[in-house]
Amino acid sequence: MPMVLLECDKDIPERQRHIYLKAPDDDARECLPIANVPTIPGTLSERGCAFCGAKLVIGGVLKDTIQMIHGPIGCAYDTWHTKRYPTDNGHFNMKYVWSTDMKENHIVFGGEKRLAQSIHEAFDEMPEIKRMIVYTTCPTALIGDDVRAVVRQVMKERPDVDIFTVECPGFSGVSQSKGHHVLNIGWINEKVGTAEKEITSEYTINFIGDYNIQGDTFLLQQYWDRLGIQVISHFTGNGTYDDLRCMHQAKLSVVNCARSAGYIANELKKKYGVPRLDIDTWGFNYMAEGIRKVCAFFGIEERGEQLIAEEYAKWKPQMDWYKERLKGKKMAIWTGGPRLWHWTKSVEDDMGIEVVAMSSKFGHEEDFEKVVARGRDGTYYIDDANELEFFEVLQHVKPDVIFTGPRVGELIKKMHIPYINGHGYHNGPYMGFEGFVNMARDIYNATYNPIRFLAAQDIRDPLPLVMPERLREAA
Amino acid sequence: MKNHALDDKVDDLYGYIEERCLWQFFSRSWDRQENIDGVLDQASRLLSGKDPARSTPMESLFYADAKILVADVRERFPWLDEAGEEEVRQMMDDLKGRLVENVITRSKNRELNHHLY
Amino acid sequence: MSACEVAAPRPHEVKLAPRERAGVINPMYDCQPAGAQYAGIGIEDCIPLVHGGQGCTMFVRLLFAQHFKENFDIASTSLHEDSAVFGGHNRIQEGVMVLAKRYPHLRVIPIITTCSTEVIGDDVEGTIKKCYKQLEAELPGREIHLIPVHTPSFKGSHVTGYAEAVKSIVKTMAKKGEPTGRMNVFTGWINPGDLAELKHYFAEMDVAANFLMDIEDFDSPMLPNKAIETYGRTTVEDLQNTANATASFALAKYEGAGASEYLRDNFEVPHHLVNAPYGIKNTDDMLRKLSEVTGKPIPESLVRERGIALDALADLAHMFFANKKVAIYGHPDMVLGLAQFCMEVELEPALLLIGDDQGSKYKKDPRIAELKKQAHFDIEIIHNADLWELEKRVKEGPVKYDLIMGHSKGRYIAIDAKIPMVRVGFPTFDRAGLYRKPTIGYRGAMELAETIANTLFAHMEYTHDREWILNTW
């Protein structure tokens, strides 16, 4: 039986269909964890809501756009100060969040006037900002406010502003994934093709599904600049609203996060004939392959080879130093979805690390097809893992380090297992060649941390602790 | 050099693609099929020493994927250098069949035939 | 401003007004269910079940993790579309059963509503009855207390949500029994470091107390046996016995006093509301009241502790703090308490921001009257405020603020304006270990003053603003 029923799940046996333990002779086709289905109430799942998938993950990254959240205050408060996506204009996107602060009388009598007023105020208070995304939330969707009508009216009154509406209340879909979808499809249908920008290179791309976590976008932008490629739009790391209206102008869509942004790349292909190229940007081997493919598409292979050679010369020796010391370490990945398949093989190839367990919060079955194809035998592949499953699997696989969020990180600290922020990183960027060295360095610093030896010691033990000699070396 | 039977060779090639190629796992059956045909047709040309088609954006895309694929499999599987045109065609046909079978026909991904993206 | 400037004498104003904009830019508080979750995790053998979308739980757990650097278990009913249409009560029932079966130690499940489930109108009380039946049928003998907590997000804030939850918990759980000889202490929303300080005072006064909620272990150890001990310590029995206490002390008017009043009205437990013990005078008042109520004398040890604090404050007040304008934002009890504390050490709390819409209550707060009596400068108090109110005033004047005191969500106002900032309140995720340090009591006053001083000193140094003063001090 390839799908596993964990001991902690004996009362919720349907969880068996979500947990796969890969064995050498399995036919992977028969063993696909079921994904993107409703969570069982009370399981302590780690999933968020559709609203956050749209606002926090994608829209809120933009550096020039007001994010107006039509709802009670919590939806704004909660999707603020939880991300690390800087911008080159002073992090406008991380500093502010906007809410219509709905109260009971707006629930009873409707919140449309409140929304209009809040939109006008926001533009008045920040007169240099001319772009906005309006989001509905659970209660505004339930009471049926006509948000689009309000937005149309405001745009009529303020001809210099442009506003995009996202209608995905938190209860829609089963996870943040629904919000990605709604924003992607809405944007292509309503905004792409409504602006044109100056073309400065015959090689133009959209870079899709990268959110500038700790400067990922900044780092990759250096590569595109060196290759002479113009990035028409970043969806959405360090991106602007108007650049995203010009996505149709690109000759190629290069996709990193296919889960959160594959939809728009697909639609660009269907609607505008812009081909979609999926690449992996974490890892030496993968990054080089991605650059080679982009350059082959444009017929500028030599530029690509030169860049790869320069980057390898600069960073590969450092990576190899870490690989020597990380070889055989065991890692678990407990994140959103795509990082499972982006990382499982690249940490193995570039760092010698074995990924022994993975859980995805909002991945679809497509993500599991990818990760099971790439991942190791003997590894757990779990959809929407909950806390008790997490503890049980840890007992089986005993990882040396876990890539996950800060809350789970605090939990495993008590179990003497170091965590690295798998969403916002510890000290990134992690993409690209330099970035992957950063990631290796963070894993080295985590797994060669003296604290775990100290933590294991009971001071009542007759034998005093003997610390390993020269645990760490100068990198 | 070991004399691989055709099936073993297709196994090798399939193993490489399964582990490395994201284009096989696009969102819907139709675009998986499109990618399998597009990339492997270009790969056939390259492996047979023919010029790849590059007149449309999609052809350039398939060329880009195929070029890296061919470079990698040539490095991994030296027997490819000795394959004739007919053998390449046969291998690619079998490979296509294997891919279609695994990532489309038998795939348990319930979204493959969704009418929307 | 120099102290010797001659200004035309005019009466000093203490102005209280709400935010005038409809929308919020940068909120000060989260919504009601977040506060209810904070109250819920203070109970031992308890996992709150939040009835709403998953984000309502996931982000709040993250928020607590950010602040405490700890994990807390909170469950969600994972409301999806079908529930929005057909009602979500089944998901409460399913959630309760799943929790009960998978967590055998569980004794309490507060069921916390959100905006969506209040709009849908799910019958929580009725569903709880069904849950009890199902528990009886499937897990006979298992006693689990289900507590309805109604906290629609479109009312109040996380402050009122906390108050509402504490009240609902006490209402559901309090049960007449033998007198315990203990006092209830409704602490309000404080940190483990604060609670440790309170426990110390009650121990010094030799008064047995039931602290609600006992969150001291929210600062929990990394142990050789890898045990996870991060949870609330207020037990089912503690909650039941709130009805049997000698008296209740409510230390926060807006965070738990309602529960204390409920016990007075229904179980004749005497209710004593005191000012939240920020600063010396408020701590004095709390201890005096405690002495008065219990008849126990204030011991010499506390006279000395008070003296140590005063000794430290005296070094700082007129030399470093005088004439400095301070902006303070956060929970109402804390903001008003800290304003009083500032006055004690010659800091001038010129701007106070309180983030929710209980304006009529704030108008009548005696602490504001007290500030009015004492202030020799203008004080602006904004309620229902957002942090944009602060940012605009910091950027546009006319008052030039020398110090900002508040939680981490306002950090960029201070960073961009290059104004020294002391983190206080909830959440304070961008400074290490603050949850462990008291801000209440004598020691809290002392440590806070010292943190303020050290923050000002560091600012003097990196801006080269008379940093040479500290060449000898």
Side-chain angles (χ1 to χ4, degrees):
Chain A
M1 185 65 99
M3 306 306 282
V4 181
L5 182 62
L6 296 174
E7 180 61 28
C8 65
D9 287 338
K10 62 180 177 7
D11 293 307
I12 39 173
E14 57 269 52
R15 285 291 307 160
Q16 181 171 11
R17 300 187 302 162
H18 300 266
I19 304 174
Y20 173 44
L21 175 58
K22 188 172 170 180
D25 296 326
D26 284 347
D27 180 345
R29 256 61 51 191
E30 298 298 325
C31 311
L32 189 64
I34 197 165
N36 198 36
V37 296
T39 299
I40 302 169
T43 47
L44 277 82
S45 149
E46 293 178 8
R47 280 175 162 176
C49 61
F51 157 72
C52 87
K55 189 273 166 183
L56 185 62
V57 176
I58 305 180
V61 187
L62 294 174
K63 64 183 173 188
D64 64 347
T65 303
I66 290 171
Q67 311 290 328
M68 179 59 69
I69 298 155
H70 185 34
I73 201 67
C75 306
Y77 184 98
D78 286 341
T79 54
W80 180 41
H81 285 280
T82 68
K83 283 278 189 178
R84 293 178 177 142
Y85 34 52
T87 64
D88 57 12
N89 67 347
H91 327 308
F92 177 76
N93 60 340
M94 293 198 290
K95 285 181 186 169
Y96 300 105
V97 73
W98 298 258
S99 168
T100 59
D101 190 21
M102 274 189 110
K103 295 298 179 193
E104 194 164 25
N105 57 322
H106 312 117
I107 299 291
V108 177
F109 300 110
E112 290 165 16
K113 262 173 69 183
R114 178 83 165 184
L115 173 62
Q117 202 181 341
S118 301
I119 294 174
H120 283 301
E121 282 169 0
F123 283 127
D124 290 341
E125 294 290 327
M126 299 180 167
E128 69 287 2
I129 303 293
K130 302 291 182 196
R131 300 290 178 258
M132 179 184 283
I133 303 180
V134 176
Y135 301 86
T136 58
T137 57
C138 298
T140 49
L142 286 168
I143 64 171
D145 275 351
D146 189 348
V147 172
R148 286 175 191 275
V150 173
V151 164
R152 270 195 305 275
Q153 182 59 29
V154 172
M155 283 175 65
K156 211 180 282 173
E157 292 166 28
R158 291 179 174 261
D160 58 340
V161 307
D162 200 85
I163 305 174
F164 173 58
T165 305
V166 176
E167 293 184 278
C168 62
F171 57 73
S172 53
V174 300
S175 72
Q176 35 280 68
S177 180
K178 177 72 176 181
H180 308 149
H181 185 251
V182 171
L183 191 145
N184 273 249
I185 299 299
W187 189 266
I188 185 98
N189 287 340
E190 295 171 34
K191 296 298 176 191
V192 174
T194 61
E196 298 276 332
K197 70 193 286 189
E198 192 193 346
I199 301 298
T200 57
S201 165
E202 61 178 295
Y203 317 118
T204 55
I205 63 171
N206 298 310
F207 199 78
I208 294 177
D210 151 42
Y211 304 104
N212 199 27
I213 303 303
Q214 289 207 25
D216 280 341
T217 312
F218 296 150
L219 181 64
L220 297 194
Q221 183 62 45
Q222 295 172 17
Y223 302 161
W224 311 128
D225 288 343
R226 280 156 70 187
L227 295 169
I229 291 171
Q230 181 188 6
V231 181
I232 300 285
S233 71
H234 287 283
F235 190 100
T236 52
N238 193 41
T240 68
Y241 186 100
D242 281 0
D243 281 354
L244 292 177
R245 298 163 77 187
C246 306
M247 294 184 93
H248 59 292
Q249 288 180 279
K251 289 185 175 158
L252 178 68
S253 291
V254 182
V255 177
N256 175 66
C257 182
R259 180 72 282 125
S260 63
Y263 314 104
I264 199 159
N266 286 337
E267 295 293 342
L268 284 164
K269 180 174 73 170
K270 269 188 359 196
K271 203 166 166 183
Y272 295 100
V274 184
R276 163 184 166 174
L277 176 69
D278 285 25
I279 66 168
D280 300 275
T281 51
W282 287 281
F284 272 59
N285 196 309
Y286 277 159
M287 188 73 241
E289 182 182 288
I291 288 169
R292 286 196 170 102
K293 287 185 179 177
V294 173
C295 290
F297 178 85
F298 289 119
I300 51 171
E301 284 91 336
E302 312 72 42
R303 292 187 200 179
E305 292 307 325
Q306 192 187 336
L307 185 144
I308 292 163
E310 286 167 12
E311 291 293 312
Y312 263 68
K314 198 164 168 191
W315 301 110
K316 191 70 171 44
Q318 295 190 39
M319 181 53 93
D320 289 341
W321 189 91
Y322 285 114
K323 184 175 185 176
E324 193 55 40
R325 285 149 188 87
L326 296 177
K327 210 178 289 169
K329 296 274 185 213
K330 292 194 285 183
M331 165 171 158
I333 306 173
W334 227 253
T335 58
R339 287 179 190 193
L340 277 55
W341 46 264
H342 280 303
W343 286 349
T344 185
K345 196 71 176 62
S346 58
V347 297
E348 187 169 332
D349 288 349
D350 291 336
M351 304 180 197
I353 289 174
E354 297 169 14
V355 177
V356 291
M358 289 180 269
S359 169
S360 147
K361 296 187 207 193
F362 55 77
H364 292 207
E365 283 152 20
E366 173 185 318
D367 296 279
F368 280 98
E369 288 182 291
K370 290 175 184 170
V371 68
V372 169
R374 288 177 164 192
R376 297 171 60 85
D377 293 335
T379 291
Y380 283 91
Y381 304 79
I382 311 177
D383 167 66
D384 187 21
N386 60 57
E387 197 156 295
L388 291 180
E389 291 169 357
F390 181 60
F391 287 135
E392 191 169 332
V393 167
L394 283 191
Q395 296 309 313
H396 294 307
V397 299
K398 298 190 176 14
D400 299 297
V401 62
I402 303 180
F403 276 69
T404 184
R407 184 183 58 71
V408 178
E410 297 299 341
L411 189 64
I412 59 175
K413 179 176 69 183
K414 302 287 195 252
M415 303 156 81
H416 309 183
I417 303 170
Y419 117 93
I420 293 176
N421 193 323
H423 308 285
Y425 307 156
H426 266 23
N427 293 287
Y430 286 170
M431 282 185 183
F433 306 100
E434 179 182 352
F436 223 49
V437 173
N438 291 337
M439 185 163 159
R441 178 207 57 216
D442 284 354
I443 298 175
Y444 176 79
N445 289 338
T447 52
Y448 285 79
N449 186 339
I451 285 177
R452 101 185 121 96
F453 296 98
L454 298 168
Q457 172 77 9
D458 188 328
I459 49 171
R460 295 162 298 191
D461 196 318
L463 293 174
L465 170 66
V466 180
M467 289 293 277
E469 284 177 36
R470 281 188 299 282
L471 172 67
R472 297 171 54 92
E473 302 158 84
Chain B
M1 184 175 307
K2 200 164 84 189
N3 184 19
H4 269 53
L6 189 68
D7 267 1
D8 293 343
K9 292 179 181 174
V10 174
D11 279 350
D12 286 347
L13 295 172
Y14 177 75
Y16 168 87
I17 289 172
E18 182 183 33
E19 188 183 288
R20 294 220 47 109
C21 298
L22 292 172
W23 48 258
Q24 69 189 309
F25 293 124
F26 269 33
S27 316
R28 303 288 175 253
S29 292
W30 68 267
D31 56 13
R32 288 186 178 189
Q33 183 74 54
E34 183 181 59
N35 284 349
I36 292 166
D37 291 341
V39 176
L40 294 188
D41 285 351
Q42 295 282 40
S44 287
R45 288 169 188 252
L46 293 172
L47 285 168
S48 319
K50 290 186 194 151
D51 283 342
R54 298 178 71 176
S55 54
T56 68
M58 288 306 288
E59 283 173 354
S60 297
L61 174 78
F62 296 137
Y63 164 72
D65 275 320
K67 183 175 181 203
I68 277 68
L69 182 153
V70 167
D72 276 1
V73 292
R74 276 196 195 284
E75 193 184 310
R76 290 181 192 209
F77 312 121
W79 44 256
L80 263 171
D81 290 337
E82 292 170 18
E85 201 176 320
E86 177 52 29
E87 195 187 357
V88 166
R89 198 192 54 75
Q90 187 63 48
M91 267 190 297
M92 290 295 135
D93 280 353
D94 287 6
L95 193 52
K96 272 188 198 175
R98 184 89 63 99
L99 276 162
V100 169
E101 160 108 353
N102 283 335
V103 302
I104 299 176
T105 316
R106 292 181 56 222
S107 170
K108 290 196 164 175
N109 180 344
R110 292 164 304 140
E111 290 179 343
L112 281 187
N113 297 311
H114 199 289
H115 66 290
L116 295 173
Y117 268 127
Chain C
M1 193 200 304
S2 113
C4 63
E5 257 174 47
V6 182
R10 65 170 176 89
H12 293 288
E13 243 194 311
V14 176
K15 195 180 92 189
L16 177 74
R19 176 186 90 237
E20 280 171 11
R21 283 170 289 114
V24 160
I25 305 176
N26 290 0
M28 280 170 51
Y29 306 154
D30 205 340
C31 57
Q32 283 214 118
Q37 290 173 64
Y38 187 60
I41 56 176
I43 305 171
E44 192 166 320
D45 298 325
C46 168
I47 297 179
L49 177 64
V50 180
H51 187 33
Q54 291 163 152
C56 309
T57 308
M58 186 270 265
F59 284 111
V60 173
R61 295 181 78 189
L62 177 60
L63 180 68
F64 296 155
Q66 287 188 323
H67 177 78
F68 293 105
K69 308 291 183 255
E70 299 282 357
N71 168 68
F72 299 93
D73 283 352
I74 305 172
S76 172
T77 59
S78 298
L79 195 79
H80 298 314
E81 238 139 10
D82 51 344
S83 310
V85 180
F86 304 112
H89 47 274
N90 289 341
R91 297 192 73 82
I92 298 180
Q93 212 171 329
E94 194 180 348
V96 165
M97 292 312 296
V98 167
L99 282 169
K101 287 175 182 165
R102 296 180 84 221
Y103 292 86
H105 67 282
L106 214 56
R107 301 179 69 197
V108 185
I109 305 177
I111 295 160
I112 297 169
T113 65
T114 59
C115 44
S116 52
T117 50
E118 288 287 342
V119 172
I120 296 167
D122 281 339
D123 173 12
V124 176
E125 283 73 6
T127 307
I128 283 177
K129 281 187 197 139
K130 286 191 200 158
C131 290
Y132 280 130
K133 274 192 197 144
Q134 196 178 348
L135 281 166
E136 180 64 44
E138 292 184 31
L139 300 168
R142 179 80 183 277
E143 194 182 36
I144 296 182
H145 301 271
L146 305 175
I147 303 173
V149 180
H150 290 276
T151 44
S153 323
F154 45 77
K155 275 189 190 168
S157 68
H158 75 218
V159 175
T160 58
Y162 175 84
E164 179 61 34
V166 172
K167 194 171 162 184
S168 301
I169 291 165
V170 166
K171 254 173 132 165
T172 309
M173 299 294 292
K175 201 166 109 185
K176 197 74 205 164
E178 290 298 304
T180 60
R182 289 198 303 169
M183 183 177 273
N184 296 323
V185 182
F186 292 96
T187 65
W189 187 318
I190 55 172
N191 273 322
D194 293 317
L195 183 55
E197 195 63 7
L198 282 177
K199 285 185 176 176
H200 164 67
Y201 289 140
F202 278 75
E204 289 294 309
M205 294 284 295
D206 194 27
V207 177
N210 178 9
F211 293 92
L212 301 138
M213 302 295 177
D214 188 342
I215 49 93
E216 196 176 358
D217 286 346
F218 285 9
D219 179 16
S220 73
M222 194 173 171
L223 292 167
N225 66 0
K226 306 185 181 182
I228 295 170
E229 300 188 348
T230 318
Y231 48 80
R233 296 296 167 130
T234 295
T235 63
V236 167
E237 289 71 25
D238 290 337
L239 292 171
Q240 290 171 336
N241 276 324
T242 52
N244 309 312
T246 53
S248 296
F249 256 46
L251 306 185
K253 187 175 166 65
Y254 306 103
E255 297 164 5
S260 178
E261 286 165 0
Y262 170 84
L263 290 169
R264 176 196 60 198
D265 298 344
N266 292 275
F267 295 95
E268 286 157 5
V269 181
H271 157 69
H272 304 284
L273 173 67
V274 299
N275 285 349
Y278 291 95
I280 303 296
K281 176 72 163 61
N282 282 333
T283 307
D284 290 353
D285 289 351
M286 178 187 77
L287 292 173
R288 279 174 177 282
K289 190 78 183 174
L290 192 55
S291 176
E292 183 193 313
V293 169
T294 59
K296 300 215 168 157
I298 296 173
E300 171 75 13
S301 61
L302 293 182
V303 176
R304 293 190 67 83
E305 278 186 37
R306 185 176 185 275
I308 294 271
L310 282 175
D311 191 73
L313 299 180
D315 287 335
L316 301 170
H318 67 273
M319 178 159 186
F320 295 108
F321 290 171
N323 313 116
K324 294 235 176 343
K325 297 281 189 209
V326 189
I328 309 172
Y329 64 89
H331 291 194
D333 283 298
M334 186 199 76
V335 168
L336 295 175
L338 288 180
Q340 292 175 295
F341 160 69
C342 282
M343 301 285 286
E344 294 178 338
V345 292
E346 298 192 48
L347 290 164
E348 298 181 4
L351 176 61
L352 309 179
L353 300 106
I354 296 169
D356 62 16
D357 55 355
Q358 307 184 68
S360 53
K361 286 193 191 167
Y362 299 137
K363 257 179 223 152
K364 285 181 263 168
D365 195 303
R367 287 168 292 191
I368 293 179
E370 192 65 24
L371 287 171
K372 222 170 221 173
K373 269 193 260 169
Q374 291 177 6
H376 58 285
F377 51 90
D378 292 341
I379 300 180
E380 186 181 9
I381 306 173
I382 310 170
H383 62 90
N384 208 13
D386 58 10
L387 288 169
W388 184 246
E389 295 287 337
L390 174 61
E391 183 163 338
K392 276 207 295 191
R393 281 164 181 75
V394 163
K395 279 182 182 160
E396 296 164 10
V399 180
K400 194 188 152 297
Y401 297 97
D402 302 290
L403 177 71
I404 295 173
M405 293 172 78
H407 55 69
S408 301
K409 294 263 180 180
R411 66 193 297 262
Y412 261 114
I413 300 170
I415 293 169
D416 286 351
K418 300 188 168 57
I419 295 175
M421 175 170 170
V422 168
R423 271 70 170 171
V424 61
F426 176 89
T428 56
F429 50 78
D430 69 334
R431 285 295 181 274
L434 293 192
Y435 49 84
R436 188 175 303 115
K437 299 188 196 312
T439 49
I440 61 172
Y442 301 128
R443 200 158 75 86
M446 176 177 74
E447 293 205 1
L448 194 56
E450 286 165 347
T451 304
I452 292 170
N454 291 337
T455 304
L456 294 173
F457 295 164
H459 189 75
M460 287 164 73
E461 287 164 4
Y462 65 70
T463 57
H464 292 282
D465 172 16
R466 304 190 313 143
E467 78 290 348
W468 38 261
I469 279 193
L470 293 163
N471 239 24
T472 166
W473 178 44

